[in-house]
Amino acid sequence: MPEAKVVPNEITYSAAISACEKSGQWQVALKLLSLMPQARVVPNEITYNAAISACEKGGQWQVALNLLSLVPEARVVPDKISYNAAISACEKGGQWQLALNLLSLMPEARVMPDEITYNAAISACERSQQLELGLQILWESKERLGSLSVAYFPWALARLSVHDPDIISAAFDEVALKLSASQLAPQELAIIAWAFGMLGMNNPTFSNALFIQAVPQLQSFTMGDLLKLAWGSAASRVDVELFMAIQNEVTARLEQVDLHHFSELSRNAFLQDTLGLLWASNFAGCCSNNLLASARLVIRQAGAIMDRARGPSSLPACQSMGELPCTEADPWQPDGKPQTILDLPDRLAIFKPPGWEVHGQDTELQLSSFLQATLGKHFAIVHDEEHQCGFLHRLDLPSSGLVLAAKTYEAYYDLKVQLNAGEIARDYVILCHGWVRPCLKDIMAKVYWRGLLPTIAGDQGKPSWTRLKVTAHAWHRSTALSLVAVRIATGRRHQIRSHFSHVGHPTVCDGKYTAEATFQSDQDFCARNFLHRYRLAFKDLAGKDHEVMMPVPADLVISLQRVTARDSQSAETIRDWVIGSSLRSWQDYTPLILDFGRDKQTRSKKGGQ
């Protein structure tokens, strides 16, 4: 502007800071704000609001609060937008007390909270597991605000995991009336669909009304709103026609998109929305070939763009674990180091021993450190925490098994497409309590979790699907046990453990999902949680199939040797797992066939003993 002999003013600076806010550049936004005094430009409330919002988007709650405190000193009166941005920053930082304190200060500052204010405050309570406080704020907002959007109340009920059927039913009855009386905006329809799915609602009349309003407006939905609509529809099993309409719209956008013109923030959001839409379509059982082909092409291209932009990492290999070798797999080393099982040019499969974390901060034993030590500085993604250091999925800390990782961004996103489209097979073997009925083939309970608390399985939360085959019945002393082959169709946190606990058959030696007495008793014959991911199947970039299998580690073999088979078929199956020579795909295992006559004799014998 100076070169063009145009003098920047407060409007110019505010617009530039707002642009930085929208692209996640909070440091640049603050730099611009700091340059205003020397340019003799006085910031106004719009300038400060844009800067506070930039800090909120960047997760900088301390800086956002500092800016809010500076506003009065600059002779600018904080307004609703100032407080909303600051409360939202506190919510993202997990500072629920500060968020609620700001909410309480607003009347003193003669600023009236609005729906956005209460949204942020409720989200802060939910994120910090203060659900009762969140409910109090919800009722307060209903009393104080005369006019609320149609989506607000269902959204809050879903966010706070309200289980009262009368409250939920009344809320959706009100939504149904609004749907029949007026046209709702795409954003509201998307949020309502999401809440509908999260709360476990199943109302064909409501679903039809949603369908009638949504389909004609699909072109006006953002990708994020299309994702909410598709996700909610998948969770509540809405009519296939809506899914096909959503997929056609997304496919048309994918065929026209050019990710070279996206900012990094916008590109990442677009990729996550597209992957989420693939997942929802696959979960609903109607993922079209056109959507999959278009998504695969665009998402791979995005990975290739990132590889060219970032090139080899300039970071050194992890020095603390630089001595870790890359050796052939040895299943008889239960406490051994991770091992590379399959090493392809752009992806690899690694064995994770129990006690190691894939990537996080819960233990010093990090699989990401092993990967960095193995690959060194040649692959940028293994040092990129925003991309999970290249790992495609997680595996619980006490569990063992195979984990996929990518060496390049293109490989990472190629595998992400496979994962979300249901093309990667993840097979497990577990030992669980009770004699599971062989006729039980699927567990489709929804799940939700907060913080470090156990995952809750039931009729609310994220849709989840565990497939199983009961392969053997056994017992240890007086404890009935089942050996089960498992394939997950979704990959939720603690999904297998919470699902089996939900149906009354928790996994053996699981201190999080069994009673303490049961956990202590299990340790008599099993040293750790009996859950092992023994098989992965996936494709390389050329579409060639790869299969990796890992026998049950020695510590779990010892546990199997301590149990007594219930029948001859169970004895043979347990022996196969102990030897480790007959591993196969989950779908190739034969479920246990019960002999009820022999079963009766077995129970009589056990009773006599």
Side-chain angles (χ1 to χ4, degrees), residues 296 300 344 346-347 404 411 414-415 418 423-424 537-547:
R296 199 189 305 274
R300 275 188 188 177
L344 299 176
D346 65 350
R347 62 200 73 191
L404 265 178
D414 174 55
L415 288 169
Q418 293 182 45
E423 296 178 336
I424 293 179
F538 59 97
K539 299 178 187 293
D540 61 23
L541 206 60
K544 181 183 176 183
D545 290 318
H546 293 272
E547 180 184 60

Side-chain angles (χ1 to χ4, degrees), residues 69-82:
S69 68
L70 291 175
V71 173
E73 294 177 18
R75 297 182 180 179
V76 175
V77 179
D79 61 10
K80 203 177 295 184
I81 297 172
S82 315

Side-chain angles (χ1 to χ4, degrees), residues 401-471:
L402 296 163
V403 181
L404 265 178
K407 300 178 186 179
T408 67
Y409 289 98
E410 185 175 10
Y412 177 82
Y413 280 110
D414 174 55
L415 288 169
K416 275 288 187 183
V417 170
Q418 293 182 45
L419 190 65
N420 283 272
E423 296 178 336
I424 293 179
R426 294 165 286 175
D427 296 343
Y428 303 74
V429 60
I430 68 164
L431 189 67
C432 65
H433 281 273
W435 287 338
V436 182
R437 293 171 292 117
C439 62
L440 181 61
K441 305 290 179 63
D442 300 277
I443 305 172
M444 297 193 72
K446 294 181 178 180
V447 299
Y448 68 90
W449 62 89
R450 290 187 176 86
L452 299 176
L453 295 175
T455 297
I456 305 297
D459 59 359
Q460 287 190 7
K462 297 184 176 182
S464 309
W465 183 9
T466 300
R467 307 178 70 187
L468 62 139
K469 289 185 179 181
V470 180
T471 63

Side-chain angles (χ1 to χ4, degrees), residues 258-542:
D258 184 356
L259 292 177
H260 290 90
H261 300 304
F262 280 55
S263 70
E264 185 176 358
L265 192 70
S266 300
R267 183 181 63 220
N268 289 343
F270 185 88
L271 293 178
Q272 293 310 313
D273 289 340
T274 305
L275 287 167
L277 283 155
L278 266 184
W279 182 92
S281 300
N282 176 63
F283 185 82
C286 58
C287 185
S288 73
N289 291 332
N290 288 340
L291 173 64
L292 181 54
S294 298
R296 199 189 305 274
L297 179 63
V298 170
I299 291 173
R300 275 188 188 177
Q301 286 175 347
I305 291 169
M306 296 172 75
D307 283 320
R308 287 194 294 271
R310 303 187 185 193
S313 172
S314 59
L315 295 173
C318 178
Q319 297 300 314
S320 63
M321 299 185 66
E323 77 284 356
L324 287 176
C326 172
T327 62
E328 292 185 3
D330 182 0
W332 308 111
Q333 296 297 322
D335 298 316
K337 296 169 182 175
Q339 299 162 58
T340 301
I341 311 302
L342 176 67
D343 192 356
L344 299 176
D346 65 350
R347 62 200 73 191
L348 68 167
I350 300 172
F351 168 67
K352 183 193 91 68
W356 284 69
E357 187 175 20
V358 175
H359 173 60
Q361 300 176 333
D362 293 333
T363 175
E364 292 182 3
L365 299 175
Q366 293 292 319
L367 208 60
S368 55
S369 298
F370 168 80
L371 188 61
Q372 290 161 5
T374 301
L375 299 180
K377 63 183 180 179
H378 302 294
F379 301 98
I381 194 170
V382 303
H383 300 277
D384 185 349
E385 294 191 3
E386 288 185 6
H387 285 81
Q388 310 303 317
C389 295
F391 288 105
L392 266 293
H393 40 214
R394 302 267 176 159
L395 193 57
D396 296 344
L397 193 69
S399 307
S400 58
L402 296 163
V403 181
L404 265 178
K407 300 178 186 179
T408 67
Y409 289 98
E410 185 175 10
Y412 177 82
Y413 280 110
D414 174 55
L415 288 169
K416 275 288 187 183
V417 170
Q418 293 182 45
L419 190 65
N420 283 272
E423 296 178 336
I424 293 179
R426 294 165 286 175
D427 296 343
Y428 303 74
V429 60
I430 68 164
L431 189 67
C432 65
H433 281 273
W435 287 338
V436 182
R437 293 171 292 117
C439 62
L440 181 61
K441 305 290 179 63
D442 300 277
I443 305 172
M444 297 193 72
K446 294 181 178 180
V447 299
Y448 68 90
W449 62 89
R450 290 187 176 86
L452 299 176
L453 295 175
T455 297
I456 305 297
D459 59 359
Q460 287 190 7
K462 297 184 176 182
S464 309
W465 183 9
T466 300
R467 307 178 70 187
L468 62 139
K469 289 185 179 181
V470 180
T471 63
H473 281 170
W475 63 76
H476 178 262
R477 297 177 184 164
S478 60
T479 301
L481 302 165
S482 295
L483 192 65
V484 185
V486 173
R487 174 171 290 181
I488 55 172
T490 56
R492 305 300 186 191
R493 173 185 180 266
H494 299 176
Q495 178 177 312
I496 294 173
R497 296 161 67 189
S498 63
H499 267 185
F500 275 84
S501 178
H502 175 68
V503 297
H505 298 286
T507 53
V508 163
C509 207
D510 191 339
K512 195 174 277 281
Y513 294 94
T514 57
E516 180 62 25
T518 303
F519 176 58
Q520 294 297 332
S521 175
D522 287 350
Q523 290 183 315
D524 291 343
F525 74 100
C526 189
R528 50 102 171 177
N529 185 221
F530 201 118
L531 191 156
H532 174 69
R533 183 191 283 157
Y534 73 90
R535 178 179 178 270
L536 286 172
F538 59 97
K539 299 178 187 293
D540 61 23
L541 206 60

Side-chain angles (χ1 to χ4, degrees), residues 215-233:
V215 171
Q217 299 188 74
L218 286 181
Q219 290 185 347
S220 302
F221 279 69
T222 65
M223 284 290 284
D225 287 338
L226 284 173
L227 173 58
K228 290 187 184 76
L229 184 64
W231 192 94
S233 301

Side-chain angles (χ1 to χ4, degrees), residues 329 341 402 534-536 547-551 582-585:
I341 311 302
L402 296 163
Y534 73 90
R535 178 179 178 270
L536 286 172
E547 180 184 60
V548 189
M549 290 192 280
M550 184 71 179
S582 302
L583 295 180
R584 66 201 83 152
S585 167

